[in-house]
Amino acid sequence: MPELPEVETIKRGLQQSLVGLKIRSIEVFNPKTFEADTNVLVGATVKRLCRRAKVLMIEVEGDAEYTILFHLKMSGQLIFQGQTSRGQDQKVVGGHPTKDMLDQMPNKSTRVIFEFTDSSHKTCSYLYFNDQRKFGWIKLVKTSEVEKNSFLKNLGPEPLSREFTWQVLKTQLLKYKTWPVKVALMDQIVIAGIGNIYASEACFIAKIDPRRKILTLTDTEFKKLYKGIKESLETSIKYGGSTRTHFVNSAGQKGYFLDFAFVYDRENQGCRVCHQMIKRITQAGRSSYLCPYCQH
DNA sequence: CACTTGACCTGTCCGC
DNA sequence: TGCGGACAGGTCAAGT
């Protein structure tokens, strides 16, 4: 599921609810999801949240400083439920009503539950890690060793950072001269955080056929691709991310970017620009969508 | 080296 | 209604 905009959406939601809360207990229902000694986290307080690529990080401080890394892969969800006080009806703190949340938590895809208390120890709240397909993972690292993490250390530049310029994009992509543009965009070593949805969307905005090889791109096209990447990611964050099937934000609500997407999941529908049919093709085993008339 | 495929899992949808 | 196959936002290892 989540690509950069979805993880960013979750991060912004959780930031409001979680910072300052203390971990009371952690229940792991699927051991492979979270292979760590969770006891060291009990009693620790949430300091801050960050995101790197598609990874959400929760920094906590207890006897030692730890960072909890979350990768949601295809079907992961992180849903927060606050309570006004123990025993009373559940109510979301710092969010909207959870009208999009179909199931009561926990449900059958709940793999891990974090239980929190506030400083007064009078109220409890819960963070549910749900993951139907069990591809997602949670890892525990010392905060001082986050940089060494084998997943994080191989990531390319953050596309929404100041350091990311069109020249950086060009340099990164040119390491993969013969690769199709869309396949290269999805490689996390090239740029961090772009997945199947935004790779197709960025190519459409840039008017570039996703099958083009990197070495055929002109500087003008690298600039357009740069704009396409930023625009699709920023627009999606504005709409709360993309929900095809599983994605919900930390309050259990869907995202609405796909209602405005140019090509993703729009096979045989009219192009929003030229009204010709959008086409679906397969690249590297994944679906790509394009408008054959707008993209060359 | 430059790609593609299968595996990891569970579930849904579509055609027969 | 059942059954098989394709497909689903990601990543990794193994193939060609």
Side-chain angles (χ1 to χ4, degrees):
Chain A
M1 120 174 148
E3 306 181 32
L4 186 154
E6 289 74 31
V7 180
E8 181 64 24
T9 300
I10 290 171
K11 190 207 91 178
R12 292 182 187 185
L14 286 181
Q15 210 152 33
Q16 299 183 22
S17 326
L18 234 44
V19 173
L21 296 186
K22 187 179 271 203
I23 297 174
R24 187 163 184 259
S25 68
I26 298 171
E27 204 167 350
V28 179
F29 299 100
N30 188 59
K32 286 179 79 177
T33 301
F34 194 6
E35 295 175 316
D37 175 15
T38 56
N39 289 323
V40 302
L41 291 171
V42 173
T45 301
V46 177
K47 274 175 70 184
R48 64 184 194 122
L49 281 78
C50 14
R51 178 192 59 73
R52 174 79 172 103
K54 302 171 189 174
V55 176
L56 177 79
M57 309 195 264
I58 300 180
E59 283 185 29
V60 303
E61 189 172 22
D63 294 338
E65 297 194 343
Y66 286 102
T67 298
I68 313 168
L69 309 178
F70 297 80
H71 200 310
L72 280 55
K73 293 285 182 85
M74 301 282 261
S75 61
Q77 303 176 323
L78 273 170
I79 299 176
F80 179 80
Q81 284 188 348
Q83 275 184 321
T84 47
S85 70
R86 270 197 241 174
Q88 288 192 13
D89 290 336
Q90 288 196 345
K91 188 182 133 195
V92 169
V93 174
H96 305 286
T98 60
K99 61 179 191 293
D100 290 334
M101 201 156 46
L102 299 175
D103 300 315
Q104 188 66 21
M105 296 300 130
N107 63 31
K108 63 179 172 182
S109 69
T110 300
R111 309 302 175 196
V112 179
I113 302 176
F114 293 79
E115 183 187 24
F116 296 93
T117 56
D118 67 2
S119 49
S120 71
H121 289 256
K122 282 187 180 151
T123 70
C124 282
S125 44
Y126 300 90
L127 180 65
Y128 298 94
F129 183 86
N130 301 332
D131 185 19
Q132 181 193 91
R133 296 176 71 178
K134 298 182 182 171
F135 291 169
W137 47 251
I138 307 174
K139 292 186 196 304
L140 183 60
V141 295
K142 291 229 170 77
T143 298
S144 57
E145 294 175 3
V146 166
E147 305 286 314
K148 292 186 203 161
N149 176 266
S150 59
F151 184 83
L152 296 176
K153 73 181 179 194
N154 289 322
L155 295 170
E158 281 290 324
L160 298 182
S161 69
R162 191 151 289 171
E163 301 83 68
F164 186 67
T165 61
W166 78 268
Q167 291 95 337
V168 169
L169 174 68
K170 179 182 173 182
T171 306
Q172 288 296 99
L173 286 176
L174 280 174
K175 295 175 184 170
Y176 297 83
K177 291 184 173 50
T178 64
W179 284 34
V181 178
K182 191 255 189 176
V183 178
L185 286 178
M186 286 178 62
D187 194 316
Q188 302 302 294
I189 295 168
V190 179
I191 313 157
I194 299 175
N196 212 30
I197 296 179
Y198 305 104
S200 278
E201 291 294 309
C203 288
F204 177 87
I205 293 171
K207 305 281 173 244
I208 294 168
D209 188 311
R211 293 165 289 198
R212 289 264 302 278
K213 287 180 189 293
I214 296 295
L215 49 73
T216 70
L217 297 183
T218 64
D219 276 1
T220 309
E221 287 175 323
F222 280 118
K223 286 178 195 169
K224 285 187 188 170
L225 198 52
Y226 172 76
K227 178 172 165 279
I229 290 166
K230 296 193 68 127
E231 195 177 305
S232 58
L233 297 175
E234 281 163 1
T235 306
S236 180
I237 290 171
K238 196 172 95 185
Y239 290 112
S242 298
T243 297
R244 190 172 188 283
T245 50
H246 296 99
F247 173 70
V248 289
N249 65 19
S250 65
Q253 302 163 310
K254 294 172 180 173
Y256 291 94
F257 175 74
L258 292 183
D259 292 348
F260 306 93
F262 286 109
V263 289
Y264 184 81
D265 206 18
R266 299 195 68 243
E267 184 182 18
N268 294 332
Q269 296 181 47
C271 169
R272 297 197 198 281
V273 175
C274 76
H275 308 294
Q276 302 284 343
M277 291 270 214
I278 300 298
K279 226 172 103 181
R280 180 167 73 95
I281 60 172
T282 297
Q283 294 183 279
R286 316 288 309 275
S287 288
S288 301
Y289 299 86
L290 72 150
C291 172
Y293 298 90
C294 290
Q295 294 172 258
H296 298 285

